[in-house]
Structure formats: structure tokens, C-alpha cells
């Protein structure tokens, strides 16, 4: 917290305000950053191979898309994601600031609470849901190892059995402990979980391939044909990008500690195009082998794990899936709301306290009830998710198209009326004017049944529309000075 001692090197209008500047929100010093290419890669090695992503990809096989179609969909999606995430990552590396602060460039020093709040709300809900899914795997494993525990799984308290509460709280506490040690511990956990995940999924795919006598079904009995195949490929690619709509917003939370732009590019190349195609091959083997064996399409790798005859291997595979889900949760659903909460309550919360508040919120919403309610998942979370595209469009258009990556970092932390990002009482009405109609259209496209055929493209529609509108209405006379934040920066974790 010594960065405030360097105020003399910052002009008066750039003096940090206590309501905007804290140790956790401050820019990171360029010297001492530790996130190299391998650390960036581990983000994707964990996140791509999540249980939810496997369920999504295997669902494509069940819907009639053949193996080659699945590979084509993920190849297209990986190219788009590589470009989007690299642009987003460069923003974090240049400025060293987390997403709530990055949003101040376009939305204003106070208006930035809108995108940070939306991103945080989505993440808190999914944090609870992912913890619940991991706890379900743990409960199944415990019952398999100790059948007597099955009696604890027959009752219900607030929608959860006693065993369900025990496993959920155990994993909940584990994640809180990891986060309490900061981003450095999260980075170390990612480095451990990534190879564990990849080895486990490779072993599972190899085991299934051998069970199917060295061959797999390339499609279900009644696959899609003709134009339907290409429509499904484009829809699948778009939906895969939508799944990462949260990450493309707050990737800067991680790359603010990246050692160089080259590290971001190398980590993204291996972690996105290469890793995603590797993921698609595993999906093809798992789903194709199971279909060849009994004519059924699995819904998740856990369906296969439960069939492993050896108890030691069953336990190993289950624990690997749990470790994977925790890793995904930490980076995708825990870090974002922490920074959002610190931004909302800078005088009361730091990284550790915000992590605890976020975790408590993820618990009190009883996420198992959310997950079991299609209405909540489709309308509430789907609607919030549709807002992410327009937010991304405004932020990226402001940073890359209008300012050409020129940022006055010290002014992101000042409430001085002459500050570059003060706009009108801390809010940029032009950004809001571009966001609101774009968000309304994106939500309608995502949720109204009439637009079902293009619902999967709602993120792109919202992002492109918001970027275009903001480019038209933005104040081009506004200053676009390039000043680094070294004078007020803190050590990177």
C-alpha cells in the first residue's frame, strides 16, 4: 500500500482518490510480474476441460453433428476466441489494472460499476452452481467408497441432503482458503490442476478407446446433413464464444500480472486453438466410443467415470474432476466478483474480505435450486449473460478504436473534475446510450422464442451493435493521453 506515497510524481488532477484507489485495485508494477506463457496456458487448460464444457460439446454429438462438424465448430470458435482474448489480454498487460478499473476508461470512474456489477452477479451465481456440481461428484465418490453414507443422502434441507451439505461446504471452504492467499496462490493452484486435468482426460479417453476395440462412431444413427450441418457448426462456434463471454471481459484481471505481450500470445496459442482442438478430439473419442458400445450418448464425463470398475482409478478420476471444477471456479467465477466488490466498497473490503463476501453470496442463493430451475437458468442467468456482449463492445471500441490503446492510468483513480475519465459526474452518458439499446436487443434475441434460430448469436449481435453505436456517439474531442501507472503501482502477485 505504499504506492500512495509516490503522489508527488503524479499531477494534481491525477492524485488517487481513496474512493477509487486501493491496494487491490491499483495498477501492478511492470517489474516483478510473474504470469508467464505457462500460467496463461493453465487458465485455458483448466477452463476448457470443465465439466460444463464437456456437457455442451457432447450435446452437439447428441444433436446430430458428426465428429468432423464438432472439430470444425471448435476450430472456428478457437480462432475467434484467440483474437478476442488476446486483444483483451493486451489491455491488462499495458495498464496493469483489473476489469472494474479498466471499465472506467469508457464508462467513467463511477459509471464503471455497471459493467463490474453485471459481471460480478453472473460470476457469483455460477460460482455457487459449479461448487454444487463438484460437490455432487464428491458425494457420489464418497457413497461408492463408503456405502453406509448413502443414508445421509436421503433427506432434504433447503433442497440439499445432509451429505450434499457436507460436500458442498467442504469444497466451499477449500476455495475460500485458496482465495484468501491471493492471486499468487490461485496461480499456483492452476499450475498444479492443469497437468492433472489433461493427464486424467487423456487417460479416460484412451481407456474408452480401448473398450471400444480401437474405433469410435463418427456420428449418431441419424446425423444432420446438408445446410443443417453448417448452421449447427456456426451456432456451436458462436455459443462456444458466448460461454467465454465472461472471460473476454475480465481477462485483464490475470494479464495485469503477465510478464509480456509475447507471454500472452504464446499462452493463448497453446491454450486456445491447440488445446481446444485437443479438447474436441477427446469429446469425439468419449462420445463416439460410448455410442459404439451401447448406442447411448453420454451427457458428461462423470457418466463414464462412474462406470470405471477399479475403485482406485474411480477415486483418482473423480478427484481429478473435482480439482478441475474448483480450478475453473476460481478463475472464472471467483476473481471477477472479488474485484467488483472491492470496487463497490473500497473502504471496507480488500481481496480476502471480498472473497469471503462473494462466497457467502454464492452459498445463500442455494445454487442447487437455481441449477434445478430451467426458468432461472434460461431467463435470469441467460439474460445477464446477454448483457456481456454489449459491455464488451463498448469497452473494446473505446480502448482500441477511439483511444488507440492510449490510457492515462493515474486518471482512472482520481475524482478531480478535470480528470480524463470524469465525464459527467463520473458517468459517461454516451457509453450508457450505446449500451442500453444494444443490451435490450441482445436480451430479446437471447430470450424471446421467436428468435430461437439466432439466439446463439446474441452475444455477437450485442457486441457489434454496441461497438458501432459507441463509435458513432463517442466524444472524439476527449483527451487520449498515454500515461503509465508506475507512479501509483503496487507489486504484482
Amino acid at each position: 500500500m505504499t504506492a500512495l506515497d509516490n503522489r508527488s510524481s503524479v499531477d494534481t488532477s491525477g492524485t488517487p482518490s481513496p474512493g477509487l484507489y486501493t491496494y487491490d485495485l491499483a495498477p501492478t508494477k511492470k517489474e516483478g510480474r510473474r504470469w508467464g506463457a505457462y500460467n496463461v496456458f493453465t487458465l485455458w487448460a483448466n477452463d476448457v476441460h470443465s465439466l460444463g464444457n464437456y456437457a455442451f460439446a457432447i450435446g452437439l454429438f447428441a444433436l446430430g453433428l458428426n465428429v468432423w462438424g464438432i472439430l470444425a465448430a471448435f476450430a472456428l470458435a478457437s480462432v475467434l476466441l484467440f483474437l478476442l482474448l488476446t486483444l483483451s489480454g493486451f489491455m491488462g498487460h499495458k495498464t496493469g489494472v483489473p476489469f472494474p478499473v479498466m471499465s472506467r476508461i469508457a464508462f467513467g470512474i463511477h459509471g464503471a460499476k455497471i459493467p463490474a456489477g453485471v459481471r460480478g452477479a453472473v460470476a457469483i451465481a455460477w460460482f455457487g452452481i459449479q461448487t454444487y456440481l463438484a460437490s455432487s461428484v464428491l458425494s457420489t465418490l464418497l457413497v461408492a467408497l463408503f456405502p453406509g453414507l448413502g443414508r445421509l443422502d436421503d433427506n432434504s434441507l433447503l433442497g440439499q441432503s445432509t451429505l450434499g451439505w457436507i460436500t458442498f461446504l467442504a469444497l466451499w471452504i477449500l476455495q475460500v482458503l485458496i482465495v484468501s492467499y491471493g492471486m499468487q496462490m490461485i496461480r499456483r493452484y492452476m499450475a498444479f490442476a492443469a497437468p492433472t486435468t489433461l493427464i486424467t482426460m487423456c487417460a479416460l479417453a484412451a481407456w474408452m478407446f480401448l473398450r471400444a476395440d480401437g474405433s469410435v462412431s463418427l456420428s449418431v444413427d441419424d446425423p444432420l446433413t446438408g445446410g443443417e450441418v453448417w448452421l449447427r457448426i456456426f451456432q456451436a462456434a458462436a455459443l462456444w464464444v458466448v460461454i467465454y463471454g465472461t472471460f473476454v471481459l475480465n481477462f485483464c484481471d490475470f494479464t495485469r500480472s503477465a510478464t509480456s505481450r509475447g507471454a500472452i500470445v504464446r499462452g493463448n496459442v497453446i491454450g486456445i486453438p491447440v488445446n481446444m482442438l485437443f479438447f474436441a478430439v477427446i469429446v469425439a473419442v468419449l462420445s463416439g466410443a460410448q455410442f459404439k458400445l451401447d448406442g447411448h450418448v453420454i451427457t458428461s464425463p462423470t457418466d463414464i467415470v462412474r462406470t470405471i470398475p477399479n475403485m482406485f482409478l474411480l477415486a483418482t478420476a473423480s478427484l481429478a474432476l473435482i480439482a478441475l471444477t474448483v480450478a475453473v471456479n476460481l478463475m472464472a467465477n471467483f476473481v471477477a466478483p472479488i474485484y467488483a466488490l472491492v470496487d463497490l466498497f473500497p473502504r471496507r473490503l480488500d481481496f480476502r474480505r471480498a472473497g469471503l463476501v462473494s462466497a457467502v453470496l454464492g452459498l445463500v442463493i442455494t445454487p442447487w435450486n437455481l441449477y434445478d430451475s430451467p426458468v432461472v437458468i434460461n431467463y435470469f442467468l441467460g439474460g445477464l449473460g446477454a448483457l456481456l456482449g454489449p459491455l464488451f463492445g463498448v469497452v473494446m471500441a473505446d480502448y482500441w478504436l477511439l483511444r488507440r490503446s492510449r490510457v492515462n492510468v493515474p486518471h482512472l483513480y482520481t475524482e478531480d473534475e478535470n480528470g480524463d475519465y470524469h465525464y459527467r459526474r463520473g458517468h459517461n452518458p454516451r457509453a450508457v446510450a450505446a449500451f442500453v439499446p444494444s443490451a435490450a436487443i441482445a436480451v430479446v434475441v437471447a430470450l424471446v422464442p421467436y428468435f430461437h434460430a439466432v439466439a446463439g448469436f446474441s452475444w455477437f449481435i450485442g457486441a457489434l451493435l454496441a461497438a458501432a453505436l459507441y463509435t458513432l456517439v463517442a466524444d472524439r474531442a476527449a483527451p487520449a493521453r498515454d500515461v503509465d501507472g508506475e507512479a501509483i503501482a503496487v507489486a504484482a502477485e
Side-chain angles (χ1 to χ4, degrees):
M1 299 186 183
T2 59
L4 282 174
D5 297 336
N6 297 323
R7 287 180 179 177
S8 59
S9 62
V10 185
D11 65 275
T12 304
S13 64
T15 301
S17 163
L20 299 173
Y21 180 97
T22 71
Y23 181 85
D24 297 300
L25 296 177
T28 56
K29 290 184 178 295
K30 294 180 180 179
E31 184 179 354
R33 294 180 180 180
R34 301 179 183 179
W35 287 69
Y38 177 74
N39 299 115
V40 175
F41 158 73
T42 58
L43 292 176
W44 312 125
N46 286 302
D47 196 65
V48 169
H49 293 268
S50 72
L51 294 178
N53 288 348
Y54 273 106
F56 167 77
I58 292 171
L60 299 177
F61 187 82
L63 291 173
L65 199 60
N66 62 28
V67 167
W68 305 116
I70 292 174
L71 289 173
F74 281 96
L76 176 59
S78 67
V79 171
L80 292 172
L81 280 173
F82 173 78
L83 294 174
L84 295 175
L85 286 163
T86 299
L87 289 175
S88 180
F90 283 176
M91 294 164 63
H93 174 262
K94 177 180 173 65
T95 61
V97 304
F99 174 67
V101 177
M102 185 72 71
S103 302
R104 295 173 187 174
I105 301 173
F107 284 87
I109 54 173
H110 298 310
K113 289 177 171 52
I114 297 173
V118 172
R119 175 64 182 97
V122 174
I124 287 173
W126 281 112
F127 162 76
I129 290 173
Q130 289 279 13
T131 302
Y132 163 63
L133 293 176
S135 70
S136 298
V137 176
L138 182 57
S139 295
T140 300
L141 172 61
L142 290 176
V143 171
L145 293 173
F146 310 102
L149 293 177
R151 57 188 175 81
L152 298 179
D153 208 24
D154 295 332
N155 62 331
S156 177
L157 175 62
L158 298 178
Q160 268 276 56
S161 67
T162 300
L163 181 60
W165 274 104
I166 293 172
T167 54
F168 182 91
L169 290 176
L171 294 178
W172 185 88
I173 292 171
L174 172 64
Q175 293 173 94
V176 171
L177 286 175
I178 293 174
V179 167
S180 69
Y181 287 94
M183 289 294 287
Q184 185 175 356
M185 181 59 71
I186 293 176
R187 175 173 61 86
R188 290 175 177 173
Y189 182 83
M190 298 299 169
F192 153 76
T196 302
T197 296
L198 294 177
I199 292 171
T200 300
M201 298 314 298
C202 283
L204 191 59
W207 179 68
M208 283 297 294
F209 189 69
L210 292 175
R211 281 187 64 194
D213 298 325
S215 64
V216 300
S217 296
L218 298 180
S219 68
V220 293
D221 292 334
D222 187 24
L224 297 173
T225 58
E228 285 185 304
V229 174
W230 288 105
L231 177 61
R232 185 70 68 185
I233 287 173
F234 286 118
Q235 287 178 332
L239 285 171
W240 189 246
V241 174
V242 170
I243 289 173
Y244 285 86
T246 53
F247 236 133
V248 295
L249 269 180
N250 73 299
F251 190 31
C252 57
D253 289 345
F254 302 93
T255 58
R256 65 194 292 247
S257 297
T259 55
S260 67
R261 288 170 63 142
I264 297 172
V265 172
R266 292 192 298 273
N268 279 352
V269 166
I270 302 173
I272 302 176
V274 176
N275 184 43
M276 284 186 178
L277 288 177
F278 176 66
F279 165 82
V281 171
I282 291 179
V283 168
V285 172
L286 293 179
S287 53
Q290 187 66 48
F291 190 79
K292 180 186 176 183
L293 287 171
D294 58 15
H296 290 89
V297 179
I298 59 174
T299 60
S300 169
T302 54
D303 295 338
I304 293 176
V305 169
R306 293 188 182 110
T307 67
I308 297 176
N310 183 287
M311 188 59 68
F312 174 77
L313 295 178
L314 170 64
T316 302
S318 297
L319 290 175
L321 291 179
I322 293 169
L324 161 65
T325 306
V326 169
V328 172
N329 227 12
L330 288 173
M331 62 184 180
N333 302 317
F334 217 160
V335 172
I338 287 175
Y339 282 126
L341 287 169
V342 173
D343 184 53
L344 288 172
F345 307 101
R347 292 182 174 87
R348 298 182 179 180
L349 297 178
D350 57 14
F351 193 92
R352 179 178 294 183
R353 292 173 183 170
L356 182 58
V357 172
S358 178
V360 169
L361 291 174
L363 170 63
V364 299
I365 62 175
T366 61
W368 46 89
N369 291 324
L370 293 180
Y371 186 73
D372 292 336
S373 173
V375 173
V376 173
I377 292 293
N378 293 332
Y379 288 94
F380 177 66
L381 293 179
L384 280 177
L387 301 179
L388 300 178
L391 290 175
F392 180 78
V394 171
V395 171
M396 297 297 279
D398 184 272
Y399 183 90
W400 288 108
L401 299 180
L402 299 176
R403 299 182 186 276
R404 305 296 174 89
S405 76
R406 295 189 295 271
V407 180
N408 188 342
V409 177
H411 281 213
L412 293 171
Y413 300 93
T414 179
E415 292 183 290
D416 191 290
E417 292 183 358
N418 297 316
D420 289 359
Y421 312 107
H422 189 271
Y423 296 108
R424 187 177 300 172
R425 297 181 181 177
H427 298 78
N428 183 3
R430 297 171 188 260
V432 175
F435 168 70
V436 171
S438 305
I441 292 173
V443 170
V444 169
V445 171
L447 301 182
V448 175
Y450 179 79
F451 298 102
H452 175 74
V454 293
F457 302 99
S458 61
W459 189 93
F460 287 95
I461 294 171
L464 292 173
L465 185 57
L469 286 176
Y470 186 70
T471 302
L472 288 174
V473 304
D475 181 8
R476 297 179 181 276
R481 291 173 285 189
D482 201 18
V483 182
D484 68 36
E486 288 294 298
I488 57 172
V490 299
E493 292 192 7

